[in-house]
């Protein structure tokens, strides 16, 4: 049983206004070729298929075209779970139709927990794999709010809700496995933030819950899981040092902070339980090609100009972020940069002039945009502008974060 684990495609995502459909299409074509080349039996997609809950027509076209191509290959099954960026109702809408193609979609929790436990058959119609396909667990799915709760109370309820759900799902999977003539491997899926998980500044990974953000640890995943395919974090990594609990990461750099990161998908080889232990699961990271070069150039004017000229000599098509931190105050930085890249294939998507920012301290400078700030930065500035005392800010920030979480989890496609 050959399994491929991928996640966090974020189809439709832009980078400082630049559309990236060609990158997404190139990745999906490459992924389909890997599935065909390596004779993959099951593809697991661990959430955040789209970047927004209302994806564009072009993003949808890429998704469905890919699924049709995989369905026409020798790959027997595709399992897709929703991430925190996805609309559960949108993913679920074609669920019955896609199931005919052996594409199993789990957009949200169901009243019937067994719907998340998929028993997948081989070419002969015999069970070969059980997948516990747990989608992103929204706050309202796993916690009942009560008046007067502290942040710590909410946090504890969230963690316990996640743990209880995985425990219950594993119990259903174990029962189904015990009913089979021959036991088969069990794979868990999830879209969540684990304790100690590595992120990169500017990757767009949202914190999922309020409080200490309910980062779970590896102990929530039952021992019966032979492999755990996770999504949400964009850096490929193991969880808690366990080889078989992994994030495969995003397939393309989501921001300039990921520019030098090697992207990958994970290939897993599973056999029947009779002769092996889950700790010995063969796992291989397959490097994803770089479809669009990105580079962050930081330094004084001489070093920035030198690096751009080096790139231009190679006929580079690189997208660049410039962070100027030289001692000289340069008011016409953008004009200078435009002159240097003229007649080249290089594009500068963002310029941050640190010296101008330092000089006009406390005042938003002309080149600064909302792209330079995260949502908490904007809220902090609002508090400062309105003179809110420091001692009142922590509670207001928590209330603001709760409001954001509620907005993020609202399914705009539900009605």
């Amino acid at each position: 049983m050959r399994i491929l684990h991928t996640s966090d495609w974020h189809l439709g995502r832009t980078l400082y206004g630049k559309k990236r459909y060609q990158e997404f299409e190139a990745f999906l074509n490459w992924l389909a070729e890997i599935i065909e080349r390596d004779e993959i039996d099951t593809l697991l997609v661990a959430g955040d298929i789209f970047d927004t809950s209302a994806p564009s027509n072009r993003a949808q076209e890429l998704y469905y075209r890919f699924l049709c191509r995989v369905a026409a290959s020798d790959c027997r099954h595709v399992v897709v779970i929703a991430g925190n960026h996805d609309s559960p109702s949108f993913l679920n809408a074609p669920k019955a139709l896609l199931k005919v193609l052996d594409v199993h979609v789990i957009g949200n929790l169901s009243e019937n927990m067994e719907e998340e436990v998929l028993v997948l058959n081989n070419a002969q119609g015999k069970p070969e794999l059980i997948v516990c396909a747990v989608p992103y667990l929204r706050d309202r799915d796993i916690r009942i709010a009560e008046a007067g709760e502290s942040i710590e109370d909410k946090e504890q309820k969230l963690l316990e809700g996640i743990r209880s759900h995985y425990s219950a799902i594993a119990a259903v999977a174990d029962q189904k496995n015990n009913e089979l003539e021959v036991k088969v491997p069990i794979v868990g899926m999830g879209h969540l933030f684990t304790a100690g998980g590595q992120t990169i500044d500017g990757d767009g990974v949202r914190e999922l819950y309020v409080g200490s953000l309910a980062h779970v640890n590896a102990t929530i995943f039952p021992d019966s899981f032979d492999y755990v395919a996770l999504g949400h974090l964009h850096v490929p990594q193991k969880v808690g040092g366990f080889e078989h609990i992994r994030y495969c990461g995003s397939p393309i750099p989501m921001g300039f902070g990921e520019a030098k990161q090697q992207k990958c998908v994970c290939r897993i080889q599973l056999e029947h339980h009779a002769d092996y232990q889950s700790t010995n699961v063969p796992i291989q990271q397959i490097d994803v090609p770089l479809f669009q070069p990105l580079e962050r150039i930081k330094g004084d004017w001489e070093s920035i100009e030198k690096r751009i000229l080096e790139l231009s000599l190679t006929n580079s098509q690189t997208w660049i972020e410039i962070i100027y931190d030289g001692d000289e105050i340069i008011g016409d930085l953008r004009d200078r940069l435009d002159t240097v890249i003229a007649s080249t294939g290089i594009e500068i998507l963002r310029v941050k002039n640190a010296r101008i920012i330092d000089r006009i301290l406390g005042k938003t400078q002309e080149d600064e945009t909302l792209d330079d700030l995260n949502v908490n930065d904007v809220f902090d500035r609002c508090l400062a502008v309105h003179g809110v005392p420091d001692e009142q800010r922590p509670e207001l920030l928590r209330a603001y974060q709760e409001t954001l979480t509620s907005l993020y989890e609202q399914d705009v496609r539900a009605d």
Side-chain angles (χ1 to χ4, degrees), residues 144-307:
I144 299 175
E146 295 182 11
E149 283 183 315
S150 68
I151 291 295
E152 291 73 21
D153 292 336
K154 295 177 183 179
E155 175 187 316
Q156 188 58 42
K157 280 188 175 181
L158 283 166
L159 290 172
E160 187 53 41
I162 295 171
R163 183 185 300 278
S164 296
H165 188 78
Y166 272 98
S167 178
I169 285 291
V172 173
D174 290 339
Q175 180 181 346
K176 288 180 178 291
N177 212 5
N178 290 332
E179 294 170 355
L180 300 178
E181 293 181 10
V182 179
K183 286 188 175 182
V184 299
I186 300 177
V187 169
M189 296 180 71
H191 192 91
L192 41 74
F193 204 138
T194 54
Q198 182 185 357
T199 61
I200 290 179
D201 183 40
D203 60 8
V205 173
R206 294 176 188 159
E207 299 290 6
L208 298 178
Y209 305 108
V210 181
S212 71
L213 312 169
H215 296 181
V216 302
N217 58 45
T219 61
I220 72 155
F221 302 113
D223 293 337
S224 58
F225 288 176
D226 295 285
Y227 182 78
V228 182
L230 298 178
H232 185 56
L233 301 187
H234 295 173
V235 180
Q237 58 196 284
K238 305 170 194 173
V239 176
F242 292 94
E243 289 285 339
H244 70 294
I245 307 176
R246 293 187 179 230
Y247 292 96
C248 60
S250 59
I252 67 173
M254 292 298 157
F256 285 99
E258 298 180 48
K260 295 183 179 181
Q261 184 188 116
Q262 177 60 60
K263 298 298 185 177
C264 73
V265 297
C266 294
R267 182 173 59 198
I268 307 98
Q269 182 79 28
L270 292 177
E271 307 294 342
H272 287 279
H273 276 244
D275 55 4
Y276 89 104
Q277 298 292 321
S278 63
T279 52
N280 297 323
V281 173
I283 301 169
Q284 178 187 1
Q285 289 188 345
I286 303 175
D287 290 344
V288 178
L290 181 63
F291 304 109
Q292 171 59 58
L294 303 180
E295 185 166 338
R296 173 181 285 165
I297 304 177
K298 182 177 181 179
D300 58 18
W301 172 249
E302 288 72 21
S303 60
I304 290 172
E305 182 182 38
K306 178 182 177 183
R307 180 55 187 155

Side-chain angles (χ1 to χ4, degrees), residues 65-134:
R65 185 192 299 164
F66 170 79
L67 292 181
C68 287
R69 178 172 174 179
V70 175
S73 72
D74 291 331
C75 182
R76 289 192 287 276
H77 305 282
V78 179
V79 181
V80 178
I81 63 170
N84 59 296
H85 280 252
D86 297 312
S87 160
S89 57
F90 177 80
L91 285 186
N92 280 340
K95 184 174 183 175
L97 178 61
L98 291 175
K99 191 173 182 179
V100 175
L101 302 176
D102 286 319
V103 177
H104 310 271
V105 178
I106 307 296
N108 60 297
L109 299 192
S110 169
E111 293 182 1
N112 181 7
M113 190 173 291
E114 292 197 6
E115 292 186 8
E116 292 176 41
V117 182
L118 310 174
V119 180
L120 306 182
N121 296 331
N122 61 19
Q124 291 72 45
K126 299 289 186 180
E128 63 176 346
L129 180 69
I130 295 176
V131 178
C132 296
V134 181

